Amino acid sequence: GWRTMAGWAEGFCIAAVKHAGQALEVRLFVETLFDADPAPLIVVCGDFNAAAHEVPLRTIRGDEEDAGNPHLSIRTLVAVERTLADSRQYSVVHHGRPQMLDHILVSRPLLAWYRGVEIHNEALGDELVTAHAVRGSPESFHAPMVAEFEIAPD
């Protein structure tokens, strides 16, 4: 644990800034893909360690309401888990609270080929409780996610 609250606060703040900086790097790379192709088929996926409303995920998605410019809406990325019922939208259980920290974000041109997503969260253990209580607990407490696309041949 931390020795001082000031040390913890400084570390917490630095981690948040780094997390936001990493999200910015991803968004800037996505922008280069849009610059090269007006209708790119993009998937950005993984453990973002952020919920939908948090700065890192909002930065990468680039929602139209955040940018305030409807002409940029083609450059937004869409979280495919939004197509699931709210009760299924979680990839981690932390201290009894289901959270969606893993995401599959797709470009709007790829969204046309999207067929569905599954989050295999049926048997998730609580990452906070189980990791401390069970020796040899699983390497990851994150549920696998699978998105399906059907791309028509040229």
Side-chain angles (χ1 to χ4, degrees):
W2 292 93
R3 284 186 267 158
T4 67
M5 190 56 76
W8 168 83
E10 183 178 345
F12 187 75
C13 183
I14 289 169
V17 169
K18 286 183 177 184
H19 198 190
Q22 290 169 338
L24 176 60
E25 286 183 37
V26 171
R27 183 69 229 184
L28 294 177
F29 178 72
V30 166
E31 286 301 305
T32 66
L33 300 176
F34 277 108
D35 289 344
D37 179 353
L41 304 180
I42 300 171
V43 177
V44 179
C45 56
D47 177 1
F48 291 78
N49 206 23
H53 65 279
E54 294 182 83
V55 170
L57 203 61
R58 288 174 56 191
T59 299
I60 296 169
R61 281 194 328 254
D63 295 340
E64 182 182 331
E65 55 269 19
D66 286 337
N69 183 344
H71 300 291
L72 297 176
S73 65
I74 189 64
R75 289 179 174 243
T76 63
L77 300 179
V78 177
V80 297
E81 70 266 8
R82 292 176 44 189
T83 63
L84 294 173
D86 289 347
S87 63
R88 297 291 303 155
Q89 290 184 36
Y90 66 95
S91 60
V92 173
V93 176
H94 183 81
H95 210 268
R97 292 188 343 251
Q99 298 179 14
M100 193 70 210
L101 302 180
D102 304 271
H103 305 277
I104 299 174
L105 309 176
V106 302
S107 59
R108 291 193 181 274
L110 183 56
L111 194 58
W113 307 106
Y114 170 70
R115 296 296 173 256
V117 66
E118 296 175 0
I119 304 173
H120 297 279
N121 54 16
E122 303 83 13
L124 275 180
D126 189 312
E127 69 173 351
L128 188 64
V129 175
T130 308
H132 295 293
V134 178
R135 238 184 210 291
S137 57
E139 291 179 25
S140 176
F141 286 97
H142 293 249
M145 293 179 66
V146 179
E148 183 178 346
F149 301 88
E150 186 176 324
I151 309 252
D154 287 337

